[in-house]
Every structure is written in structure tokens, then in C-alpha cells.
Amino acid sequence: MSALEPMSLMDRLPRLRGSVEADATLAPFTWFRVGGPAEVLVRPADTDDLCALLRALGPEVPVTVIGVGSNLLIRDRGIAGVVIRLGSSFAEIRTVNDTTIQAGSAALDTHVAQAARHAGIAGLEFLRGVPGTIGGAIAMNAGAYSADVSECLIEIEFVTRDGRRQILTRQELEMTYRHGGLPEGVILTWARFRGHADDPALIGARMDDIQARRESTQPIRSKTGGSTFRNPPGFKAWELIDAAGCRGLVMGDAQVSELHCNFLINRGAASAADLEGLGEEVRRRVLAHSGIQLEWEIKRLGQGGQP
Ligand SMILES: Cc1cc2nc3c(=O)[nH]c(=O)nc-3n(C[C@H](O)[C@H](O)[C@H](O)COP(=O)(O)OP(=O)(O)OC[C@H]3O[C@@H](n4cnc5c(N)ncnc54)[C@H](O)[C@@H]3O)c2cc1C
């Protein structure tokens, strides 16, 4: 699965302060717990390290960034090239003023929601229970309960594929439903969000309400990838899947959730091929039943086939 000769890819890496691992297991970094290895996994020490890495890698080297893998299906033969995972030095959260909060791209959404509540900043409650990072949330324009990232984002910093830092405002991004509109190949490093002042107790009560609704409607303790398919305009994906008779459908150890049928579940020993195959079978049945072609929301990365 090498993008290049294995040694030559390692040879192309500059001296980094972060960690570098060849043939690195990725499955434990994803919610589905499936998928093959990264040809090379790099965890940069900080933004300067990330810039140095990207400056040294020519455009022919595939580079993939992952968050905490809550919207990812990594295929069984893994990901060629360099996979980047940002660690705790990218996870700082700080209050800028009484309505603005800044978060590193590896900060967990739920921690940002909690920090905002603590600071009395309302408007980020929906991030409570989105199990990803801020980087993933912006890339996916994550949203829940009638709110999404595009409504509270002010600006982002990222590193370009050729290793330059850049800042863009929300207005410079073409954010749409579950699409962050980021420039191609960039890696987010931090973002600023604006809310409005409110009583922390009221913010907390809204967050508790959101979490209670999630617990009762989503398989949040399962090995899953969140919403599998985008809602087609005017429709709910789960209703189309249910109407096509796919609730509970099984392929290998992959299953369409009984609780929320736009979620796929790894019951234990599913492969990425089982999960992707099941998703394709759902698309086929929904098309046959309703004439609507579902589009994947989950990002499928890497190469399939036997490991
Ligand atoms: C139980 C469950 C419930 C969920 N509920 C919701 C929900 O209510 N609303 C919702 O919108 N989503 C939901 N999701 C999906 C998922 O949590 C979000 O899409 C989340 O924003 C993904 O973040 P992540 O860190 O896991 O990103 P990953 O899944 O690791 O990656 C997703 C995408 O983001 C990109 N990315 C990640 N980090 C960066 C970065 N630093 N720079 C550039 N690109 C980056 C990746 O390349 C990839 O394309 C749910 C998932 C699960 C498992």
C-alpha cells in the first residue's frame, strides 16, 4: 500500500520534535475500531513542527489528517503516505473575552462546550455530545439540534499543504450543510467562536437536555461513525433507510443500528469492508425503494481489499 518506496518516504521526513511511526495501527484511533495502518503516522510537537513537516514533503506525497475518527471509515489496507494526528499541544482552550472562546483543533468539542458554559458564553451548547475534535467539527461543519459550527465560527488558523500558516475569517469559507468549505489539503490548528453572554446554569441545563436526548436516540456507546449518510434535501436519511426495511440489517459483524438507522455499528469483529459493503447495500435498497440516492457523510479513507 506504499505511496512511495517505504524507506524513501521515511527519508523524506525532516527531523521533527514530534513522533514518527511507520506502519502505524490506526483502528484504535477511530470510533469504528476498524481499518488498516498508516504508512507513516506523524504526531507533530506543535505548529512549527507541523509547518516543517509539510514544507519538506513534496506535493506527490499523500497527506491525511485525522481527528478522533468519529466520522471516519478507514479501509482495511490502510492509508498510504503520511497520516497526521494532532495531540495535546493543539488542544488548548481559552476564553478571549466575555463572548469569544478560542480552541485548538485537537480540543474535544464537548470540552469546548463545557469551557463556554463555565465562561457564561451561550451558543456552543450543541457541541456537547458531538464526539469529535474542533478540527473535525469545522471540516464537517458539525451540527446538532438546529445549530451548526458555521453560526458561531469567527476565524480559523491552518497550515497549508506547503507549510505556511494562514488565517481566514468565517466569511471567507463556503460553509454549507456538513461541509466546512476549507481550502484543499489544509490542516486546522485553532479556531475562534463567538457566542453571547448567558447564565452558566441555564447554559448547563440546555447542555444536559441535549445529552439526554442523544442518549435516548443514538447508539453513543457503540462502535459507530455517527450519521452515515447526509440528509437529502427535504428528507431525513434515517426515515428513507427505515422505509426501505434496512433497520437492523446485518453484513458480517456490521449492522444498521436498531436505535437510529442512519448509524452503522461494528458489533465486534466487523471489517471496514463489512461496514462499507453494508452502507452500499443500504444505498442500493433506498434507491430501489424511494428513487433517492443517499450520499455518504462518513469520510471513507484509504485502500480496500484484503489487508
Ligand atoms: C456517536 C456519534 C454521534 C455523532 N453526532 C454528531 C452530531 O450530532 N453532529 C455532527 O455533525 N456530527 C456527529 N457525529 C460525527 C462526528 O463526531 C463529527 O463529524 C466530528 O466533527 C468529527 O470530528 P473528528 O475529530 O472525529 O474528525 P474525524 O472523524 O477524525 O475526521 C473527519 C474529517 O475531518 C477532517 N479533519 C479532522 N481534523 C482536522 C484538522 N485539524 N484539519 C483539517 N481537517 C481535519 C478529517 O480529515 C476528515 O475529513 C457523531 C459521531 C458519533 C460517533
Side-chain angles (χ1 to χ4, degrees):
M1 66 128 198
S2 173
L4 305 156
E5 289 302 307
M7 279 313 291
S8 77
L9 179 51
M10 289 298 275
D11 287 346
R12 283 163 194 243
L13 300 183
R15 184 178 294 274
L16 296 170
R17 284 171 291 114
S19 72
V20 176
E21 191 185 347
D23 200 26
T25 309
L26 290 179
F29 298 144
T30 73
W31 267 61
F32 273 130
R33 300 285 190 275
V34 300
E39 188 175 352
V40 173
L41 176 65
V42 177
R43 283 180 258 215
D46 53 28
T47 305
D48 288 342
D49 218 26
L50 175 62
C51 292
L53 169 69
L54 292 171
R55 271 199 306 272
L57 295 175
E60 71 284 2
V61 180
V63 173
T64 306
V65 59
I66 62 171
V68 290
S70 63
N71 219 194
L72 285 186
L73 182 58
I74 296 178
R75 294 188 174 112
D76 296 311
R77 285 177 55 224
I79 302 180
V82 173
V83 174
I84 296 173
R85 195 164 190 266
L86 304 178
S88 55
S89 62
F90 293 85
E92 190 195 349
I93 302 170
R94 66 184 182 88
T95 306
V96 177
N97 58 41
D98 55 4
T99 56
T100 306
I101 198 158
Q102 177 169 323
S105 58
L108 291 175
D109 300 336
T110 194
H111 291 170
V112 176
Q114 281 158 5
R117 182 205 56 194
H118 187 71
I121 300 174
L124 279 74
E125 293 90 329
F126 71 96
L127 288 175
R128 169 75 176 93
V130 179
T133 60
I134 286 300
I138 295 169
M140 303 298 296
N141 188 15
Y145 303 106
S146 307
D148 67 27
V149 164
S150 71
E151 294 162 35
C152 51
L153 186 64
I154 305 173
E155 62 181 358
I156 56 172
E157 187 201 65
F158 54 79
V159 179
T160 59
R161 177 61 187 79
D162 57 358
R164 288 173 296 115
R165 287 180 190 228
Q166 199 176 325
I167 291 179
L168 286 183
T169 63
R170 153 73 187 90
Q171 288 68 29
E172 292 171 291
L173 302 174
E174 296 204 356
M175 300 184 90
T176 55
Y177 166 65
R178 298 297 172 269
H179 176 70
L182 296 174
E184 185 67 26
V186 305
I187 299 183
L188 290 157
T189 49
W190 56 256
R192 280 188 178 189
F193 301 92
R194 181 173 294 128
H196 57 273
D198 200 358
D199 179 348
L202 296 176
I203 298 170
R206 289 194 290 272
M207 282 167 49
D208 290 347
D209 180 48
I210 283 173
Q211 192 55 13
R213 280 200 266 167
R214 261 182 201 285
E215 301 248 357
S216 62
T217 57
Q218 296 179 0
I220 58 173
R221 298 189 206 295
S222 300
K223 298 181 182 113
T224 178
S227 292
T228 310
F229 302 107
R230 300 157 62 85
N231 288 325
F235 295 92
K236 295 238 182 286
W238 76 263
E239 287 177 352
L240 297 169
I241 295 167
D242 209 11
C246 297
R247 188 181 288 267
L249 193 67
V250 169
M251 184 178 288
D253 232 8
Q255 183 175 28
V256 175
S257 167
E258 295 274 4
L259 185 60
H260 189 316
C261 55
N262 195 23
F263 281 54
L264 299 181
I265 288 173
N266 172 7
R267 297 191 299 178
S271 63
D274 291 336
L275 289 157
E276 189 168 12
L278 178 60
E280 288 300 329
E281 177 61 16
V282 168
R283 292 180 79 220
R284 196 187 63 71
R285 292 192 189 196
V286 167
L287 182 63
H289 184 265
S290 64
I292 294 172
Q293 183 80 77
L294 292 176
E295 299 300 336
W296 285 86
E297 178 173 322
I298 286 178
K299 299 283 183 195
R300 293 161 299 151
L301 300 179
Q303 297 154 324
Q306 290 299 313

